[in-house]
Amino acid sequence: MKVLRGIFFFVMGLIMAACAGVLICALNPSLTAMLARRIEGMYQSQAAEPALSGGIGGLLPGGSGQEGDAGSGDGRQGILVGNQPGIDAGWLERVDYEPPESQPVEPPDSVSGRMGYEPVQEEARQIGEEEAEDLSDGAVSGETGSGLAFDEEEYPYYAMLEPDMQQIYGQIYANALELSPAFAPVTTVSVSQLKTVFEAVYNDHPELFWLETGYSCKYLRSGSCVEVALKYNRTADALEEARQAFEGAAGTIVSQAQGLGSDVEKERYVHDALMQLVEYDMSAPMNQSAYSALVGGRSVCAGYARAFQYMMQLLDIPCYYCTGFAGEDHAWNIVKIDGAFYNVDVTWDDTPTHDYFNKSDREFGTTHVRTGLSVYLPACVDSASPGTAAAPGQGSGSGGSGDGAATGTAGPGEVSLDLSDLINPNPVEPLTWHSKVSVEPVEENPEPTAEQLRQENMNKAGITEEQVRDTMQEYYEDCQRLLREAGAGDRQFVNVIPESLWSSVERAYSSGDYWKQYVEPIMEELGIENFVIQLQVEDLGGGYYRLCHNIYTD
């Protein structure tokens, strides 16, 4: 009887909680829309994060991390592409980029701090019926872009969009050319789709150096955008003069490169000329634009990459703006040379080196991982990078002496052979293998201590002792600190836990215990009214997990 009574009260409690939630949302529709947008956006952002997987009960979609899900059979995590808003389903079937096994944490010391890429920022505001009617009465679509055409190989971000979204792409591009302040979309587009399309335009067109990385829009309660407003930097005030300076600076370099023979020679010339021209400077004005690099001579990774992209486009060499994570948000390029795709990071080469020139995804995997729309760009799989000299002893020939014999000195446990050992003097009989391996007796290593094993596992995961939160109390305290530092708005904070603590963390989020342990106190302290969280989990190896907390507060 007690059991039945308990079940009855439990069910009634759930019904009352649900009714209360419905009532709150009904009385505050803007909160409903905000929560819906945030959760939708988080799900979509998870789809574009190749290095993250995992979920908490019903909080997150998919991502168990088991073989047969998003991961491949060899243990590598696949891309959780999902159905990114505005991306054509047919394009998703062509995605072949494979992210690295673990997400890079810190760049090499030689390039530390050489980042500076700023992701696209949107300002979206829901409007009421009265304001919507006023907008409708005076709505203008500005330039429609209906007569424009964009080649798929040169503009891949355009090619990956759904047909309706390609119309919005053309409209944004055309209005940016005309410096239109605001316009009504030519077709229905949601808030999340609009962000995808704007990013596609921005990534494809470095020549629009006057276009800022942010925009604003007004939308209805349904989520449909009714007005888009573009933002321009100060070069828009004297655009013709700025354009002449920009095209002149690029033309000087491109004209010299055009006289060279192969595409890789042209690419290297532009790469090296850009390194000589530009100085890395976080304080450079308009540093997300190609203008800052080519005209100002000072920029960050975004400016380097967009200037390189623009000049390669002038040389008719396909080159794409690629964004991702390299210890921080970062930008570099993907270039197509002799039918194959390669990664190029001019910013990191400006040390100066050529360590990041024409590399495969595998070679970039320890330092770079793509995020956002860039995961849909072609994979860079060719290991024989053009324009790079082979290391001594790594030529394609045998390297043997004139008499055809290849000799060498073998190290401990290696094979030292003469080619004559591999020639069968009597083809009628099988060749007998004569091993020349000298196996030295190896002393057994003593059993490592617990501390040595822990250090070894942390080294494998690429983390330090200071990053690990071993107990729930440490985890909650760290989350409180990081949430306080993050403040209001779209934010992310990260911490690391041992695998053994994961079940406790999962239970805390499933039961809601996390709320009172670290969310509620900070909300009260900072005066935050609304809080939405998505937790993403990355297996670092070595028995450690990285927890990425994607939050929205206001």
Side-chain angles (χ1 to χ4, degrees), residues 521-535:
I522 300 302
M523 288 183 67
E524 183 176 349
E525 177 182 327
L526 300 182
I528 295 172
E529 295 183 3
N530 300 308
F531 179 94
V532 179
I533 184 170
Q534 180 204 36
L535 187 66

Side-chain angles (χ1 to χ4, degrees), residues 410-433:
E414 295 181 356
V415 179
S416 177
L417 294 175
D418 190 286
L419 271 180
S420 60
D421 292 334
L422 305 178
I423 298 174
N424 191 347
N426 184 5
V428 177
E429 297 180 3
L431 179 68
T432 302
W433 176 259

Side-chain angles (χ1 to χ4, degrees), residues 446-464:
E447 191 72 22
T449 64
E451 185 58 35
Q452 289 173 330
L453 186 59
R454 176 180 170 90
Q455 187 60 54
E456 181 182 330
N457 288 336
M458 285 194 296
N459 291 340
K460 180 180 179 182
I463 57 176
T464 63

Side-chain angles (χ1 to χ4, degrees), residues 207-419:
E207 74 276 14
L208 299 178
F209 58 82
W210 56 89
L211 185 64
E212 288 279 20
T213 57
Y215 66 96
S216 62
C217 72
K218 296 176 182 178
Y219 65 95
L220 304 176
R221 184 175 178 181
S222 64
S224 178
C225 296
V226 292
E227 183 182 80
V228 180
L230 303 180
K231 299 179 180 181
Y232 307 106
N233 61 38
R234 69 188 189 195
T235 61
D237 297 334
L239 185 55
E240 190 55 38
E241 181 181 340
R243 186 185 276 119
Q244 289 178 7
F246 178 75
E247 293 175 353
T252 299
I253 296 174
V254 169
S255 63
Q256 296 296 320
Q258 282 174 331
L260 301 175
S262 65
D263 281 353
V264 71
E265 289 177 303
K266 297 174 184 177
E267 177 202 11
R268 181 182 285 273
Y269 183 89
V270 172
H271 173 277
D272 293 356
L274 198 57
M275 290 195 302
Q276 292 179 10
L277 175 66
V278 187
E279 179 183 353
Y280 184 88
D281 185 355
M282 280 288 290
S283 64
M286 301 177 291
N287 60 24
Q288 299 301 295
S289 70
Y291 187 92
S292 66
L294 288 171
V295 180
R298 296 182 294 129
S299 193
V300 298
C301 60
Y304 278 85
R306 291 174 69 75
F308 183 74
Q309 176 191 15
Y310 176 65
M311 290 188 287
M312 295 301 284
Q313 287 177 342
L314 293 179
L315 290 166
D316 294 324
I317 299 174
C319 183
Y320 312 140
Y321 185 63
C322 183
T323 61
F325 184 78
E328 300 175 29
D329 289 333
H330 190 47
W332 63 96
N333 296 101
I334 291 175
V335 63
K336 186 177 183 181
I337 300 291
D338 298 332
F341 293 94
Y342 302 94
N343 292 287
V344 182
D345 192 337
V346 187
T347 313
W348 282 17
D349 274 343
D350 194 14
T351 40
T353 70
H354 284 79
D355 293 341
Y356 303 95
F357 180 77
N358 288 356
K359 301 297 182 180
S360 67
D361 289 331
R362 182 177 297 276
E363 291 170 304
F364 257 36
T366 57
T367 53
H368 299 64
V369 59
R370 304 185 202 175
T371 59
L373 298 184
S374 295
V375 301
Y376 304 129
L377 293 176
C380 303
V381 296
D382 198 325
S383 59
S385 303
T388 56
Q394 292 183 350
S396 58
S398 67
S401 59
D403 61 2
T407 61
T409 303
E414 295 181 356
V415 179
S416 177
L417 294 175
D418 190 286
L419 271 180

Side-chain angles (χ1 to χ4, degrees), residues 150-164:
F150 300 94
D151 179 73
E152 176 179 316
E153 184 167 66
E154 188 172 359
Y155 304 109
Y157 289 100
Y158 169 83
M160 66 179 65
L161 297 175
E162 296 171 338
D164 284 356

